[in-house]
Amino acid sequence: DSGVTQTPKHLITATGQRVTLRCSPRSGDLSVYWYQQSLDQGLQFLIQYYNGEERAKGNILERFSAQQFPDLHSELNLSSLELGDSALYFCASSVAPTGSRTEAFFGQGTRLTVV
Amino acid sequence: GDSVTQMEGPVTLSEEAFLTINCTYTATGYPSLFWYVQYPGEGLQLLLKATKADDKGSNKGFEATYRKETTSFHLEKGSVQVSDSAVYFCALRTGAGGTSYGKLTFGQGTILTVHP
């Protein structure tokens, strides 16, 4: 158990809908990362938060947004869903992003299926 | 930008065979290097890491050495077991600053299947 909790584990929804994925980081971790794992794109970095503030953006679509709350949990919002958004979405957390020695611990992921 | 290239899979071995999964990288600065493992239906687990040139990371019989001169971080295990069957990801992390603020860049993953 990595200590990172993601809910729900599975989500099936229709095209055009909006969903929210939730992540609770490990106790004491201030930084949260979101990644998307799909068959064609592999593991892609989406966005990162540190202590409530957005710090880095990767290949995140404009239809997607995220935030980190004062209690440090994070939510990834996906809207106007398309079939191609079907993927495994991982959250990871680390104590801090600075310094190349900081380890990231991953949750078990949320499998999103858009039908 | 940063990138990681892994040997193409899938890799199929018999139990007790020697394993090598090649990984090379391109990065600015001095990245840390990682191997993550993903067992069926689970998330990614850190297998081992190395933070500077010539460091050797090791865990559960797996080893990888950070080779700056060849920009490589190949994963090896002397004798694989059926329980090692999983997907293995090589990854790098650069330091703070710019758009690489601690994020991980992953290779495409290598599926390993070990038969009894």
Side-chain angles (χ1 to χ4, degrees):
Chain A
D1 182 3
S2 68
V4 179
T5 303
Q6 289 188 248
T7 56
K9 285 191 170 46
H10 302 276
L11 200 47
I12 301 175
T13 190
T15 55
Q17 295 298 305
R18 172 190 167 95
V19 296
T20 297
L21 312 184
R22 183 188 168 100
C23 170
S24 294
R26 289 189 323 151
S27 177
D29 285 358
L30 300 178
S31 195
V32 170
Y33 309 80
W34 286 97
Y35 292 84
Q36 179 194 57
Q37 185 180 29
S38 61
L39 284 175
D40 54 345
Q41 296 290 327
L43 264 164
Q44 297 282 317
F45 168 72
L46 295 178
I47 197 165
Q48 182 216 351
Y49 282 81
Y50 177 65
N51 206 19
E53 293 186 8
E54 180 187 306
R55 286 301 180 96
K57 259 185 176 179
N59 301 321
I60 187 166
L61 300 172
E62 286 190 10
R63 300 183 285 109
F64 296 0
S65 64
Q67 54 184 324
Q68 186 179 27
F69 295 87
D71 67 353
L72 301 177
H73 91 271
S74 178
E75 293 181 356
L76 179 66
N77 301 295
L78 314 176
S79 61
S80 304
L81 285 167
E82 302 175 359
L83 295 177
D85 298 327
S86 296
L88 195 50
Y89 291 84
F90 284 111
C91 170
S93 72
S94 63
V95 172
T98 55
S100 57
R101 293 171 174 78
T102 304
E103 289 181 28
F105 292 84
F106 281 76
Q108 293 203 322
T110 294
R111 182 167 295 283
L112 173 66
T113 303
V114 182
V115 297
Chain B
D2 299 342
S3 66
V4 177
T5 302
Q6 287 181 234
M7 67 182 287
E8 292 187 11
V11 175
T12 302
L13 296 173
S14 298
E15 207 164 26
E16 299 183 3
F18 184 84
L19 168 71
T20 299
I21 301 178
N22 289 339
C23 171
T24 57
Y25 67 90
T26 302
T28 53
Y30 302 95
S32 287
L33 302 174
F34 304 85
W35 278 99
Y36 280 84
V37 58
Q38 185 178 26
Y39 296 102
E42 296 187 14
L44 289 96
Q45 299 174 26
L46 179 65
L47 181 59
L48 54 84
K49 67 176 183 178
T51 58
K52 61 183 188 297
D54 299 324
D55 267 2
K56 176 185 281 189
S58 61
N59 185 27
K60 299 181 182 180
F62 291 89
E63 291 183 341
T65 301
Y66 189 142
R67 300 285 187 205
K68 191 167 184 292
E69 64 276 14
T70 55
T71 61
S72 64
F73 193 55
H74 305 321
L75 182 68
E76 297 183 338
K77 186 175 185 182
S79 176
V80 293
Q81 305 300 311
V82 172
S83 57
D84 293 327
S85 298
V87 184
Y88 292 82
F89 292 91
C90 184
L92 69 82
R93 162 176 280 162
T94 52
T99 59
S100 298
Y101 200 70
K103 71 166 188 176
L104 287 162
T105 299
F106 287 92
Q108 65 269 41
T110 301
I111 300 172
L112 171 66
T113 302
V114 180
H115 292 299

